[in-house]
Amino acid sequence: MPEVKLAAATRLPTRGVVARAVDTNPRSPLMAVAGDKEVVLYNLDSFECLGALPFPEGDIFSLTFSVNGELLVAAGGKEGDSGLTVVWNVRKGERMGTYGQAYDSILAADISPDHKMIACGGPDKKVHVYSTEDGKELYKIDVHTDWVLAVKFTPDGEVLATADRQGGLFLWQAKNGRAVEQLKGHEGAIWALKYTADSKYLVSAGQDGTVQEWDTWTYQRVRSFKAHNAPVTNLDVAPDNRIITTSNDKTTKEWQFDGKAIRDYAGLSDWGYQARFGKAGAIVLAGTWTGDVLCWKSDSGELVKTLNTNPAS
């Protein structure tokens, strides 16, 4: 959790911006959501707004906490103009570095578990991996044929997964970018990637409305199930391997890892953009087009709070 006083979050005169980027800290009740050129931080114990981390460089398209919760990574910029990735120290509330200066927004970014590498992807159809020590590019992946929408390191740091707008899904050796395997199964854009905590399975979802589960040792798809009759815009995997999905069909759903439905979460008034578990899986969150972040108890489905990218809402 932040141990310093943060800048006050901007209070907009209108509704909040689209909640297109949300993440929860794996080690604390901290939630980060992309606001208007800033990251807004909330305490999920009290649902109090703790303040904001400025991102004056533009819009934020991706937010990711490091595996140990110490760092927060934001990627974004100005569409068609500039892009970058920023890393903050969560406790100190200060920037640790900026990476991946680009000529368009960066749409996806992740940090390796040892904090030594940053992976970024976006409209240039490439994945760039940088050293956090000196900011130099370590390697570049250029096999994607369309915008890169998701990048994710395994929790053990061995593998990097990358996905694009045409359904391309690839695994790479994280340390050097050497090709491991192409995973074929999705039709259309892949919007979200998530690993199980033991790094054994990769879970993907996207435009075709399916959730697909892949064994990272055999490179085989072990399961695919239809989660929504519309694109799955985002997903998350809880420590016990439950899966949460959301969609532009205005629904958020929870699943067992075997694909059996657990429950639907009611209350979305518009498209769902982000889905996350919080507080070790005890809370389910969904970010929407209107800027709301709905918070439910995962054991009952009860809606307990509606937060917003505009703290004044």
Side-chain angles (χ1 to χ4, degrees), residues 196-224:
T196 55
D198 59 7
S199 301
K200 185 176 180 180
Y201 296 104
L202 171 66
V203 185
S204 57
Q207 192 73 21
D208 57 14
T210 67
V211 170
Q212 303 195 19
E213 300 167 2
W214 310 86
D215 189 310
T216 59
W217 289 98
T218 65
Y219 318 124
Q220 299 298 311
R221 185 174 62 184
V222 297
R223 186 172 295 107
S224 176

Side-chain angles (χ1 to χ4, degrees), residues 12 14-22 31 33-36 40 42 269-273 286-294 306-311 313:
L12 304 173
T14 58
R15 71 171 178 84
V17 299
V18 179
R20 63 167 63 91
V22 177
M31 182 193 78
V33 58
D36 182 30
V40 182
Y42 282 96
S269 60
D270 215 311
W271 290 14
Y273 270 81
T288 71
W289 170 261
T290 57
D292 288 331
V293 180
L294 283 71
T306 299
L307 305 174
N308 196 272
T309 55
N310 178 7
S313 296

